[in-house]
Amino acid sequence: MTTQAKRPLIGVFDSGFGGLTVLRELLHHLPGADFLYLGDTAHLPYGSKSQAAITRYTRAAIRELVSRGAELVVIACNTASALALPSLQDNAPVPLVGVVGPGADAAAAIVPPGSTVLVLATEGTCNSHAYAEACAARGLQAVEKPCPLFVPLVEEGWTDGPITEQIADVYLKEALAAALHPPLAIVLGCTHYPLLRPLLQREIAKLDDNIPIVDSAEATARHTATLLPSAAVPESSGATPATGEPTLVPTAAVHSDAEPHLHFLATDAAAKFQRFAPRFLGREIPTVELITLED
Ligand code: DGL
């Protein structure tokens, strides 16, 4: 009889549905894990909120996920990763993984040292300069461009069409005009932007040579896989953990033939969450549990 290793439970936190793009990548890279996703839909959007509020909400969400058994929490929201994670990391009861460092790593992997990269993100993420700092730590210069209209456009399902093209065109032109040196990569620093990736790639091709686009969702999933190699697909677990972080489960591979167990929590609008989920996650979700987070 074979003994099966216990499947790790990964908590995934976001301001709402956008973090489902990160969960989608996590499911791909960590088929041997189970997932508990919390969307703070009562406070969505985070992109325009204060650091104090976002830190309060994120702390409460981590507490909730850990109380339900999460042994690692992915802060899938770029704005929460930028504004709350640095102050919560040291005293967290479980390891926390943000999306900013992996996003910067993904850019650094494809451009030469000293290059300029363009980061598209929310107002809050850009104002925090978290990406600029993470890029500087990897020898890159970042031009940070807030794109506040992208989140509502994606939530409306307007991921294509002339209006979104025009808006993207304006943002990209403004960003390129602000850059001292031509950017050699574009980092999608917001959970919603991966849904605009084909459109952005087309628009950038009209303005410039095809600048490659990297996605912090994919980079974060790869990084998380290095921390939980037993739950990862071999190509992900073989990657080098960033900045010497220890792996959490250096044991035999989890038997991953079973479907991952997924559970979804939302702080408001559970029906809307369920309706929006397939767009971000690429699959239907059966139920969403409505919860209240205590500050
Ligand atoms: N999840 C947010 C982020 O990645 C986008 C949506 C919001 O503003 O809450 O920055």
Side-chain angles (χ1 to χ4, degrees), residues 15 43-50 54 77 79 83 122-125 127 151:
S15 55
H43 297 121
L44 179 74
Y46 278 16
S48 50
K49 293 211 166 52
S50 71
I54 292 168
C77 177
T79 311
L83 290 165
T122 64
E123 207 100 55
T125 301
N127 291 343
V151 166

